[in-house]
Amino acid sequence: MGLTSQTLLVLAISLSAAAFGTAVWLWPYLSRTTWRSMLGRIGMLLGIQLACLAALALAINNYFGFYGSWGDLLGTDEDGTAIIADGTAAVSHTNAVHILDHQQLPAPDGTAATTGGSLETVEIRGAKSHLSTRAYVYLPPQYGQPQYAQVKFPLIIALTGYPGTTENLITRLKYPELADAAIARKEMPPTILVLMRPTLAPPRDTECIDIPGGPQVESFFTQDLPTALGTAYRVGDSAAYRGVIGDSTGGYCALKFAMRHPGTYTAAVALSGYYRAEVDATTGDLFGGSKQLQRENDLMWRLRNLPPPAVSVLVTTSRHGESNYQATQDFLAAAEPPMKTASIILPSGGHNFATWSRELPQALPWLGRQLQAPRVNPVLAEAAPDAATS
C-alpha cells in the first residue's frame, strides 16, 4: 500500500476513530486504582495519540507532497544513486536520457489552441556527477510542427522544494498547464520544461552543493543536465536559452545556479526561496569544514564580495506569512548591475502551494521572456500559418 494512497489515509483515520471509540467503551473498566488499570489507561491514551498522529502525518504528507513513497521516506529509494561505474566514459544519446513514457496533453482552456503540448517521463543520467534522477519533460505544441523542425528551443528547469515530489509540479503547481496557456496566449515563447526535484541523494538534503567527498549535485545541474538534455532534445546550446525556477529549496538552488554559473543559466526565479545553505540534521556536513565553500554558497556574501553576474532573477515573498520577507528585501537592495532583479511581493501568503500557485502565472512567463526565443524558418512559417498560431 503506497505511502500517498487514499486507502492508507482512510485506514489510518478509521483506526484513529476505532481507537477513540474503544477507549470510551473500556474506560469504565479501567477506572480502578490498580496498577493494571493505570497501565491500561496509559496504553489506551498513547494508542489514541499515535493513531491520530499517524493519520495527521499522512494527511499532511499527501497535501504537501514531502515524500512520495515508503522508500523515499526511509531513504531506501535508488533514484539518484551512482549508476555509472566508469566516470571517464562518454555518455551517448541513449545513455544520457531514457524516455520511459510519452503522453499528449489536451488543449489549454480559454485559448484558441487546437492541441496542448506533450509530457514525457524520463530518466536522466549524469556522467560527471555519477547521479541519476527521474523527471518529466514538457514539450510545447510547436516542438512537433514542421516549421519548427530545425529550431532550437529555450529550456526551463523547474525544481521542487525539499524533500518534495516531482509529481507536485504537475498536480499541484500545474506547470504543463500554465506553460500551455502562456504559450497559446503568446505570453512566453514555446519553451521546453524539465520538471524535477533537487533531491538527488535521498533522503539527504544536499542544498544543491558539490559536497566534498559526497554527492556532486551542483555539477549534475550545471554540467550533466544541460549536456544530457542536449543529446535528446532540440534545446539551445548556450546560457541565453536556459533558465531555472524553483520553490523553497528549489528557489535557493535556482538562484545559486544562475549566480554561480552564468555561463549555464541566464535567468532564475525563486518562489519563497532563501539565500544561504543551512546545515541541519537533514543536510549533514555540506562544506567539509571549508569556510570558503560555505561563503561561496551564501548568495548575500556573493553580492557583497564578488562582481555581480550578468543574469536576470525574479524573487517572491509575502509581507505577512513568509519568513524570507526581510532577507528578500536585503537581497534586492544588494544586487547591482549588470545583474537585473524583479520581484513579486504579495500582501500575505504562506510557504505553501497556494501561495506559489498565485505567483506562477506571472513568474513562469517572465522567465520564458528572459530566454532566447525559437527562430522559426519564415518560409515554413508562412506555409503553415495555422500551425504557427496554435
Side-chain angles (χ1 to χ4, degrees):
M1 192 177 300
L3 177 64
T4 59
S5 71
Q6 290 299 312
T7 302
L8 179 61
L9 179 58
V10 171
L11 179 60
I13 294 174
S14 301
L15 288 176
S16 300
F20 181 79
T22 301
V24 172
W25 179 261
L26 294 178
W27 200 260
Y29 301 98
L30 299 174
S31 60
R32 301 173 185 177
T33 57
T34 65
W35 66 270
R36 289 187 178 87
S37 297
M38 294 178 65
L39 288 178
R41 293 196 297 272
I42 292 172
M44 194 71 69
L45 291 173
L46 288 176
I48 293 172
Q49 291 181 9
L50 288 175
C52 291
L53 286 173
L56 181 61
L58 287 170
I60 292 174
N61 184 68
N62 283 7
Y63 181 81
F64 288 102
F66 294 124
Y67 299 97
S69 66
W70 291 108
D72 192 11
L73 174 65
L74 301 174
T76 58
D77 270 351
E78 295 183 358
D79 179 28
T81 57
I83 57 169
I84 300 174
D86 183 5
T88 63
V91 175
S92 68
H93 173 95
T94 55
N95 286 334
V97 177
H98 285 217
I99 300 175
L100 308 175
D101 183 57
H102 178 97
Q103 58 179 303
Q104 184 65 44
L105 301 176
D109 294 337
T111 69
T114 58
T115 183
S118 58
L119 193 66
E120 295 186 339
T121 305
V122 302
E123 181 180 4
I124 303 172
R125 304 181 176 188
K128 178 178 175 60
S129 65
H130 296 191
L131 295 171
S132 70
T133 189
R134 288 206 175 184
Y136 295 96
V137 177
Y138 162 83
L139 300 174
Q142 291 80 1
Y143 193 79
Q145 294 174 359
Q147 69 271 32
Y148 287 88
Q150 304 300 320
V151 169
K152 298 288 188 179
F153 284 79
L155 171 69
I156 290 176
I157 308 299
L159 301 174
T160 66
Y162 172 85
T165 62
T166 311
E167 289 72 21
N168 283 331
L169 298 174
I170 300 172
T171 60
R172 304 302 301 277
L173 296 181
K174 304 184 185 301
Y175 271 93
E177 291 182 31
L178 289 173
D180 261 350
I183 292 169
R185 292 193 295 262
K186 302 188 183 302
E187 295 174 353
M188 64 182 286
T191 304
I192 296 173
L193 272 61
V194 180
L195 315 176
M196 56 198 306
R197 63 179 189 168
T199 309
L200 300 186
R204 189 175 188 181
D205 176 12
T206 63
E207 297 289 298
C208 297
I209 291 171
D210 279 354
I211 299 174
Q216 305 294 287
V217 176
E218 188 169 9
S219 290
F220 176 90
F221 281 103
T222 59
Q223 298 180 46
D224 290 340
L225 185 59
T227 300
L229 293 171
T231 67
Y233 300 99
R234 299 195 310 276
V235 295
D237 55 4
S238 70
Y241 285 91
R242 303 190 201 108
V244 57
I245 182 173
D247 58 77
S248 191
T249 299
Y252 163 72
C253 293
L255 288 178
K256 181 169 66 173
F257 293 157
M259 293 178 64
R260 282 174 55 85
H261 302 275
T264 302
Y265 297 103
T266 192
V269 173
L271 307 172
S272 302
Y274 47 92
Y275 305 97
R276 66 177 182 179
E278 298 288 351
V279 176
D280 57 27
T282 66
T283 66
D285 182 8
L286 294 174
F287 309 110
S290 171
K291 292 294 184 182
Q292 182 60 27
L293 182 59
Q294 184 175 3
R295 287 191 293 266
E296 290 175 357
N297 283 274
D298 184 329
L299 304 186
M300 290 301 300
W301 182 91
R302 299 187 68 86
L303 289 179
R304 292 165 177 160
N305 295 276
L306 298 176
V311 296
S312 299
V313 300
L314 169 68
V315 293
T316 78
T317 188
S318 303
R319 290 186 177 87
H320 302 285
E322 284 277 23
S323 61
N324 74 333
Y325 175 72
Q326 187 56 54
T328 299
Q329 296 297 321
D330 295 341
F331 178 85
L332 292 170
E336 296 180 352
M339 186 174 177
K340 299 178 181 178
T341 62
S343 64
I344 297 175
I345 301 178
L346 300 177
S348 63
H351 196 81
N352 53 49
F353 290 116
T355 298
W356 303 328
S357 295
R358 293 161 61 194
E359 297 163 343
L360 264 177
Q362 292 77 43
L364 184 59
W366 178 91
L367 181 56
R369 293 193 297 270
Q370 310 310 306
L371 308 180
Q372 175 67 59
R375 297 177 179 175
V376 185
N377 185 321
V379 176
L380 293 176
E382 184 177 354
D386 292 336
T389 58
S390 66

